Amino acid sequence: MSMTLRRLSRAATAGLVAAAALTAAAHSAEAADTLGSAAAGQGRYFGTAVAASHLGEADYTATLDREFSSVTPENEMKWDATEPSRATFTFTSADRIVDHAQSKGMDVRGHTLVWHSQLPSWVGSLGASDLSTAMKDHINGLMGHYKGEIHSWDVVNEAFQDGGSGARRSSPFQDKLGDGFIEEAFRTARAADPAAKLCYNDYNTDGVNAKSNAVYNMVKDFKSRGVPIDCVGFQSHFNSNSPVPSDYRQNLQRFADLGVDVQITELDIEGSGSAQAADYTKVVEACLAVDRCTGMTVWGVTDKYSWRSSGTPLLFDGNYQEKPAYGAVLAALGGSGDPGDPGDPGDPGDGTASCTATYTRTADWDSGYNGQVTITAGDEPISAWTVTVTLPAQQSVSSLWNGTPTWSGNVMTVKPSWNGTLAAGASTGFGFTAAKNGSDAAPTVGTCTAS
Ligand code: XIL
């Protein structure tokens, strides 16, 4: 089957699955007593790294499906897994994760396109111009296969050296192509899937230090020259040698102030008990304090499968029991473990009906796309919601499900069809199919109002 056909068939299937997932989510109407639903109440996603090999384990999948609203394939989208020999792409394991996530209405983060590690040896043996071609082919191969299905891509991972120099790390890309490989990767990625957020991702950049300063300067330069970059990922692997920095929030904020989103992409904190719980609280509070911190991902579901399993760094123990850190994260997100601070928008019972609306493109093809708007009730139950969606002028909507639209020019005002009643923190949503008519721009979703 040709690449084009395979791409189209993934996109078309995704549209159908997304519509089914919306209905499933709407019927479950759960309260904000899971990480994903509590984070949604704060307008954020809460994700985890997932390994395809564990999806057959019932407890693993039950915990994943119950708690998380986003997944990152832990290894399955890396270069060695997807293009082990040149131009031969294998997507079986990554597809398993993406299909599972879509069937549960979860977002997918793509990890990662260009990285010096888990890189097959054939890449390192290429000469400069061939390497540049191979890098672009790899980006186009991955992003083409998943076009319209990935929320954010880690386009380049770990390109800077540790330590004080702020220099780029030696890698086949850096050594043969120079600093410019990073912007070349981002420009290629933007063209390959214009709907995906494009992130630079790294570690030991969580606080203000020489390495994060170097990344900061690169992002600032990209923004000033129009190199496409949308987000910066902070891996956030913490332990006693590398604790949660005291200036974490300040560091996230200075990046956000450059005009990019920030995401916590691979969070794990070695330790146990209340000390570990307190560290997790600091991280969640830092993200919530930064408007452009759009979500958090922990690097695994259970301690027993963590890449640092001896450090027990995750939220569920080896038997999938909630650790103190789990309760702390849920509470910090304003979930039902929280005793409640008056005025905290995530806490139960301040008496005002409210909702939030978030938009994702769930499928994409040459002439059109599917969009999904997820509506989440605030800290009170609601009986109705209203959301406006403004489409780019050329676009037109051919169908809409799980909502009732009225039109004024290119603005559609959507109210519930059958799905107006939501418990506090519960989510529903509507989906639609739009014709691009020459414009690939995203619609703008206005404020959600509830009664
Ligand atoms: C790790 C995985 O968790 C391991 O299973 C694998 O053996 C090595 O890679 N930074 C990253 C991640 O960006 O891709 C790494 O994941 C952890 C460090």
Side-chain angles (χ1 to χ4, degrees):
M1 197 188 275
S2 79
M3 196 62 178
T4 314
L5 278 175
R6 202 160 66 226
R7 255 185 251 161
L8 284 173
S9 67
R10 263 211 74 85
T13 317
L16 295 174
V17 171
L22 270 180
T23 314
H27 285 303
S28 74
E30 43 184 348
D33 57 1
T34 66
L35 302 170
S37 59
Q42 306 284 356
R44 267 74 172 189
Y45 66 82
F46 201 97
T48 179
V50 166
S53 58
H54 302 315
L55 287 173
E57 185 182 326
D59 287 346
Y60 181 91
T61 309
T63 308
L64 166 66
D65 295 351
R66 185 183 70 242
E67 295 290 341
F68 297 96
S69 56
S70 168
V71 304
T72 306
E74 186 172 356
N75 291 297
E76 291 79 351
M77 287 185 176
K78 292 173 182 175
W79 199 316
D80 59 353
T82 51
E83 197 186 2
S85 55
R86 191 165 187 181
T88 304
F89 287 92
T90 57
F91 294 116
T92 319
S93 297
D95 278 357
R96 247 186 106 193
I97 295 175
V98 174
D99 290 345
H100 182 87
Q102 288 175 345
S103 76
K104 303 294 172 188
M106 299 168 178
D107 284 335
V108 181
R109 292 194 84 261
H111 177 78
T112 177
L113 296 166
V114 182
W115 187 27
H116 66 275
S117 188
Q118 293 177 268
L119 186 67
S121 55
W122 66 264
V123 182
S125 64
L126 301 176
S129 90
D130 221 8
L131 177 63
S132 166
T133 306
M135 180 183 84
K136 290 181 223 160
D137 289 349
H138 184 73
I139 294 170
N140 286 324
L142 268 278
M143 292 186 80
H145 182 75
Y146 293 111
K147 190 169 181 182
E149 301 182 77
I150 303 294
H151 176 275
S152 305
W153 268 109
D154 291 331
V155 177
V156 175
N157 196 31
E158 302 183 354
F160 285 80
Q161 247 172 44
D162 275 339
S165 71
R168 298 331 198 234
R169 173 199 296 274
S170 168
S171 72
F173 308 105
Q174 181 66 37
D175 300 349
K176 291 174 189 163
L177 305 176
D179 289 359
F181 87 87
I182 304 181
E183 78 176 84
E184 194 63 33
F186 276 86
R187 291 188 198 278
T188 307
R190 176 66 92 226
D193 185 355
K197 300 262 190 204
L198 306 182
C199 306
Y200 176 79
N201 192 51
D202 214 327
Y203 69 97
N204 284 352
T205 49
D206 314 297
V208 176
N209 58 39
K211 188 174 178 182
S212 67
N213 287 345
V215 176
Y216 179 89
N217 288 333
M218 178 187 75
V219 174
K220 191 173 177 188
D221 171 56
F222 279 14
K223 294 300 283 184
S224 74
R225 291 190 297 113
V227 178
I229 183 167
D230 305 305
C231 37
V232 176
F234 298 83
Q235 292 186 11
S236 306
H237 295 292
F238 297 124
N239 55 34
S240 53
N241 294 324
S242 173
V244 181
S246 56
D247 54 8
Y248 196 42
R249 183 199 57 74
Q250 181 197 336
N251 190 47
L252 297 176
Q253 186 65 58
R254 71 171 176 151
F255 277 90
D257 290 344
L258 290 176
V260 288
D261 288 345
V262 294
Q263 303 176 0
I264 293 166
T265 50
E266 303 182 13
L267 176 63
D268 52 15
I269 310 178
E270 294 183 40
S272 62
S274 56
Q276 184 181 46
D279 281 340
Y280 266 100
T281 299
K282 285 187 211 162
V283 172
V284 175
E285 287 182 344
C287 179
L288 294 182
V290 175
D291 283 348
R292 292 196 76 147
C293 182
T294 57
M296 289 149 265
T297 297
V298 288
W299 204 240
V301 176
T302 160
D303 281 341
K304 74 173 166 173
Y305 296 140
S306 165
W307 73 311
R308 291 178 167 173
S309 57
S310 64
T312 61
L314 295 172
L315 302 177
F316 294 90
D317 71 15
N319 298 314
Y320 299 96
Q321 298 302 302
E322 296 166 1
K323 294 165 61 182
Y326 171 90
V329 169
L330 189 60
L333 291 170
S336 60
D338 192 345
D341 308 315
D344 180 338
D347 287 333
D350 69 2
T352 316
S354 63
C355 55
T356 55
T358 57
Y359 167 76
T360 354
R361 188 179 289 207
T362 51
D364 187 89
W365 55 97
D366 286 351
S367 60
Y369 65 91
N370 285 342
Q372 173 188 330
V373 176
T374 301
I375 289 141
T376 304
D379 52 16
E380 294 287 337
I382 64 172
S383 54
W385 44 262
T386 306
V387 182
T388 56
V389 178
T390 305
L391 282 120
Q394 299 96 311
Q395 295 182 8
S396 57
V397 167
S398 58
S399 69
L400 187 143
W401 53 94
N402 296 336
T404 308
T406 51
W407 286 92
S408 168
N410 61 334
V411 180
M412 63 176 180
T413 300
V414 184
K415 292 178 183 291
S417 46
W418 51 273
N419 49 350
T421 303
L422 292 176
S427 295
T428 185
F430 60 88
F432 60 91
T433 299
K436 293 179 186 170
N437 300 323
S439 165
D440 196 39
T444 310
V445 175
T447 320
C448 189
T449 55
S451 55

